[in-house]
Amino acid sequence: MNENHNIEVTDEMRQAMDTARRQGLQKDLRTLAAKIRIQAEGRYPGAEPGWQSGVEWTLLWIENTASQLTEGRP
């Protein structure tokens, strides 16, 4: 028996899917930042000038981007 079931996707469902997607991306970005931080630790001594500030800038950018994904959203 093959019956068609029409399922209405409500605005609440769309919002929940969008929130889940944003939170997943936020988690992935924060995981990436943590991995970069771990790899960079202890590599600053003797490194080229500016290397440390470049890594720090990148980590801040990733964190700011992650924060904006859920900022001001339910």
Side-chain angles (χ1 to χ4, degrees):
M1 189 186 311
N2 186 5
E3 294 182 25
N4 288 333
H5 296 283
N6 292 329
I7 299 173
E8 181 181 342
V9 178
T10 65
D11 287 339
E12 289 172 340
M13 292 169 78
R14 283 187 183 93
Q15 184 177 2
M17 289 184 286
D18 182 57
T19 298
R21 189 188 76 224
R22 288 174 178 276
Q23 287 173 342
L25 181 55
Q26 185 179 57
K27 181 181 176 186
D28 290 347
L29 285 170
R30 288 186 170 144
T31 299
L32 173 63
K35 288 180 179 183
I36 291 170
R37 188 175 288 111
I38 289 167
Q39 290 295 314
E41 284 179 359
R43 296 188 183 195
Y44 294 144
E48 295 177 24
W51 191 85
Q52 180 179 4
S53 62
V55 170
E56 290 171 357
W57 181 90
T58 301
L59 294 173
L60 285 173
W61 183 86
I62 292 170
E63 181 55 40
N64 286 338
T65 301
S67 294
Q68 291 173 9
L69 289 169
T70 56
E71 190 174 273
R73 295 186 183 271

